[in-house]
Amino acid sequence: MLSLREFKFITQTFNRRYKDEPHREHLHNFFYCSIIFFYLSLKNIFFKRNYKTSLTKEIVFFSFTSNNNRTLTPISKKLPENSFSFVSGDDFAASLVYLHSLLLFPWFIFLYLRLNRHERNVMRFYFGETFSAIGLYYCAKKFFQKNKIAIAVFANDHSTLSLCLRIAAQKKNICTLYTQHASVSEEFPPLSFTYSFLDGVESLEKYQKAGEIKGSVFLTGSPRFDEIAKIRQVGKVVINEKVIGIAVNTFDCYENVRELCLQLKDDYKLIVRPHPAMPLGDFANLKKYGIDFSNSKEETPFEFLLRINWLISNVSAIHLDAVLFG
């Protein structure tokens, strides 16, 4: 089971989002959160499939998003085809995750009572993610017990699933590798991998501020930049009209984005691109105002950048991609 120290570590990864959340004062009480999660757990026990249980390769790439995939795929192409497997987040969206979260509920209560007031507030606000960590860790531990894996490769170091898998792998003495899929913040959890491959000095300095770094660190740049270099060798398409790309992330308010678009649409061509982790529906509906849309689940960031002259975005790694594009 997750230890108190490990549970605290997972809870602390939500601090950044909690501080930036404008409605964080509206915390549900513990009883209400428990009832909702019990309902969702029972629902998922019956309707979610089980996770992947058997792998024959010693190297496994954990790729949970399209952004993760764009970073890990170039690395995998350098390896023999029969030496690695890819595992997605869907392989862990399983009935057993929710079942074991329920079965281990007394242990969850034990851990909750040992958190300080701030940690409890964070946990209650992100109740589903923190409660499911109990079941995710159980499934991650079973995953590594059933598969003879020598190296686990990650492109994300702060999602609940990544944290549970990393902790479970290290308890089995499995080598863990991490490479960035995007820019990082000093609010990220401290690095704790066997080997970490970072974009550069700026990323290293942020991780140093986040806490003690464990494992070896190499400043290598990111494989995702290789595609940018190839595109720039060919030459960027010259766009004569004024085209503004608006890249939206999970912190942004839809109404604010819509208002900005309405203010700009008469003078510029606009293309709105939501983050791949976001629901696309509302932003796709902006087409009715004559605003173009970039489906981030189908169009890569680089294809999007080729279509625009200017970029507007909140805190996002796409700014770095835009600068590298020139």
Side-chain angles (χ1 to χ4, degrees), residues 176-285:
T176 55
L177 276 63
Y178 165 68
T179 182
Q180 290 177 244
H181 79 274
S183 298
V184 299
S185 159
E186 59 194 53
E187 300 291 344
F188 276 41
L191 280 177
S192 186
F193 295 86
T194 311
Y195 301 102
S196 297
F197 301 90
L198 304 184
D199 285 359
V201 174
E202 186 244 11
S203 295
L204 176 61
E205 290 175 345
K206 287 180 178 176
Y207 274 119
Q208 287 172 334
K209 292 179 181 178
E212 179 187 359
I213 293 176
K214 297 180 181 179
S216 302
V217 177
F218 299 90
L219 306 184
T220 58
S222 172
R224 73 183 187 277
F225 299 141
D226 295 346
E227 187 174 346
I228 296 178
K230 292 176 183 177
I231 293 172
R232 292 203 66 176
Q233 286 177 356
V234 176
K236 191 173 186 294
V237 177
V238 178
I239 304 173
N240 293 322
E241 56 186 327
K242 299 177 180 178
V243 184
I244 298 178
I246 301 177
V248 184
N249 65 31
T250 55
F251 298 101
D252 292 323
C253 169
Y254 167 75
E255 290 301 325
N256 289 345
V257 175
R258 186 179 71 88
E259 183 180 344
L260 174 65
C261 290
L262 294 178
Q263 291 177 7
L264 297 174
K265 72 180 186 69
D266 292 337
D267 299 312
Y268 305 93
K269 179 181 178 180
L270 303 178
I271 306 175
V272 175
R273 177 184 175 84
H275 189 279
M278 300 176 67
L280 306 181
D282 287 341
F283 297 98
N285 290 335

Side-chain angles (χ1 to χ4, degrees), residues 56-316:
T56 58
K57 311 299 190 297
E58 291 191 336
I59 302 173
V60 59
F61 290 89
F62 291 105
S63 181
F64 307 133
T65 67
S66 57
N67 286 339
N68 289 178
N69 203 50
R70 276 189 283 273
T71 297
L72 296 176
T73 298
I75 301 173
S76 69
K77 288 181 178 179
K78 302 293 184 181
L79 302 174
E81 288 186 9
N82 61 350
S83 67
F84 64 88
S85 298
F86 266 78
V87 173
S88 72
D90 289 339
D91 295 313
F92 288 87
S95 59
L96 287 181
V97 170
Y98 299 95
L99 175 61
H100 285 93
S101 289
L102 290 178
L103 294 177
L104 296 172
F105 183 68
W107 181 248
F108 177 77
I109 295 293
F110 174 83
L111 296 175
Y112 173 78
L113 294 175
R114 278 152 183 78
L115 300 178
N116 61 39
R117 182 177 178 181
H118 175 72
E119 290 169 338
R120 289 185 186 183
N121 285 342
V122 174
M123 194 227 70
R124 284 161 55 200
F125 197 85
Y126 297 103
F127 190 87
E129 289 105 322
T130 52
F131 193 6
S132 63
I134 303 295
L136 281 171
Y137 175 72
Y138 177 88
C139 291
K141 184 172 66 173
K142 291 297 181 183
F143 176 85
F144 287 113
Q145 288 174 351
K146 292 181 179 180
N147 297 286
K148 294 182 179 180
I149 294 169
I151 302 174
V153 187
F154 299 84
N156 181 295
D157 67 331
H158 57 277
S159 73
T160 307
L161 180 54
S162 295
L163 290 166
C164 290
L165 285 165
R166 192 262 300 163
I167 293 169
Q170 290 175 337
K171 284 191 175 181
K172 289 282 291 180
N173 295 318
I174 294 170
C175 177
T176 55
L177 276 63
Y178 165 68
T179 182
Q180 290 177 244
H181 79 274
S183 298
V184 299
S185 159
E186 59 194 53
E187 300 291 344
F188 276 41
L191 280 177
S192 186
F193 295 86
T194 311
Y195 301 102
S196 297
F197 301 90
L198 304 184
D199 285 359
V201 174
E202 186 244 11
S203 295
L204 176 61
E205 290 175 345
K206 287 180 178 176
Y207 274 119
Q208 287 172 334
K209 292 179 181 178
E212 179 187 359
I213 293 176
K214 297 180 181 179
S216 302
V217 177
F218 299 90
L219 306 184
T220 58
S222 172
R224 73 183 187 277
F225 299 141
D226 295 346
E227 187 174 346
I228 296 178
K230 292 176 183 177
I231 293 172
R232 292 203 66 176
Q233 286 177 356
V234 176
K236 191 173 186 294
V237 177
V238 178
I239 304 173
N240 293 322
E241 56 186 327
K242 299 177 180 178
V243 184
I244 298 178
I246 301 177
V248 184
N249 65 31
T250 55
F251 298 101
D252 292 323
C253 169
Y254 167 75
E255 290 301 325
N256 289 345
V257 175
R258 186 179 71 88
E259 183 180 344
L260 174 65
C261 290
L262 294 178
Q263 291 177 7
L264 297 174
K265 72 180 186 69
D266 292 337
D267 299 312
Y268 305 93
K269 179 181 178 180
L270 303 178
I271 306 175
V272 175
R273 177 184 175 84
H275 189 279
M278 300 176 67
L280 306 181
D282 287 341
F283 297 98
N285 290 335
L286 291 173
K287 290 180 180 179
K288 65 185 180 183
Y289 300 109
I291 296 163
D292 203 349
F293 176 71
S294 169
N295 186 339
S296 53
K297 299 186 187 302
E298 298 176 358
E299 184 178 47
T300 70
F302 311 127
E303 291 169 336
F304 166 66
L305 290 170
L306 285 172
R307 298 168 59 196
I308 66 175
N309 301 107
W310 300 333
L311 175 71
I312 297 176
S313 183
N314 201 333
V315 179
S316 172

Side-chain angles (χ1 to χ4, degrees), residues 7-33:
F7 187 71
K8 278 176 170 282
F9 189 89
I10 290 174
T11 302
Q12 288 167 0
T13 62
F14 293 99
N15 270 338
R16 178 189 177 201
R17 274 194 277 169
Y18 180 72
K19 288 190 294 185
D20 292 339
E21 174 58 56
H23 306 297
R24 63 181 183 275
E25 66 274 8
H26 300 303
L27 292 169
H28 299 302
N29 64 55
F30 188 86
F31 177 78
Y32 175 81
C33 290

